[in-house]
Amino acid sequence: MKLYLFINDEQAILEPHNDILATALVVIGFVVFAAVMSKAYLIYDEQSHSIENYEEASRIAENIASWDELQGTRPDIISAEILEEISDPVSDRETHELFFARFSANNEFSVEIHTDDGKHNWDIQKSKNAASGNVIAASIPVIIEINPAQYTSGTLTVRLWKRYI
């Protein structure tokens, strides 16, 4: 008798309605899961590009600091006189172009070298185009030869941004 009442009970929830509710919950769960995973991937991708660009900016900074053309009286010292020539492309266009020709054409970057006391500052830019997009900077300490008798510590900073063709 009890089995007969269970099967013929008109007040119970019908089976098709249960399937729709369960399917809706599964779909909503999948959509939420997909949204969380895509956001996590986008964050990971952005961070990995930032790390790669930082490493590249660091390599460029090290390369500039050890460039033979910038050397002062010793190999580990940067000459302020040569920095003046390179930072003003009008006075020595050939050296300015040679400075940037050593690096990839897809990289846009600028170099700022300044003394720690703030008395001297050199900006070296490939073009007048401003940085766009995600700019990554890397700095290294350097020694700058102001004149043959005066040396001072400073910082070489490379700001790098990618130019996509």
Side-chain angles (χ1 to χ4, degrees):
M1 177 92 170
K2 288 184 180 183
L3 180 63
Y4 178 75
L5 287 176
F6 179 74
I7 295 173
N8 293 328
D9 188 4
E10 301 273 332
Q11 296 175 351
I13 298 175
L14 296 175
E15 187 65 33
H17 295 293
N18 287 339
D19 289 343
I20 292 173
L21 182 62
T23 305
L25 288 174
V26 168
V27 169
I28 290 171
F30 180 74
V31 169
V32 169
F33 175 75
V36 168
M37 291 304 293
S38 66
K39 183 66 174 175
Y41 175 75
L42 290 174
I43 291 171
Y44 167 77
D45 192 44
E46 182 179 324
Q47 292 297 326
S48 66
H49 283 300
S50 295
I51 290 170
E52 289 173 11
N53 289 344
Y54 176 77
E55 290 173 353
E56 190 168 349
S58 293
R59 281 193 298 273
I60 291 172
E62 291 289 337
N63 191 311
I64 290 169
S66 63
W67 190 36
D68 293 339
E69 299 291 323
L70 286 179
Q71 289 181 357
T73 55
R74 293 191 338 225
D76 59 340
I77 295 176
I78 295 176
S79 170
E81 181 181 342
I82 296 171
L83 286 176
E84 288 291 337
E85 293 174 5
I86 293 175
S87 64
D88 184 18
V90 175
S91 65
D92 191 1
R93 187 76 181 155
E94 183 178 328
T95 306
H96 186 267
E97 288 176 1
L98 180 64
F99 178 81
F100 286 101
R102 298 173 20 248
F103 304 103
S104 172
N106 289 336
N107 290 336
E108 288 289 332
F109 66 94
S110 64
V111 180
E112 179 185 344
I113 303 171
H114 61 85
T115 58
D116 290 341
D117 59 11
K119 292 182 180 177
H120 303 281
N121 189 27
W122 298 273
D123 286 324
I124 306 170
Q125 297 181 353
K126 186 174 187 177
S127 64
K128 299 298 178 190
N129 296 342
S132 61
N134 192 9
V135 179
I136 304 294
S139 299
I140 59 169
V142 292
I143 299 172
I144 301 168
E145 178 184 49
I146 304 301
N147 58 48
Q150 183 183 7
Y151 301 93
T152 186
S153 60
T155 304
L156 186 149
T157 303
V158 173
R159 286 183 180 76
L160 174 74
W161 61 96
K162 293 278 186 181
R163 180 179 60 155
Y164 298 100
I165 299 174

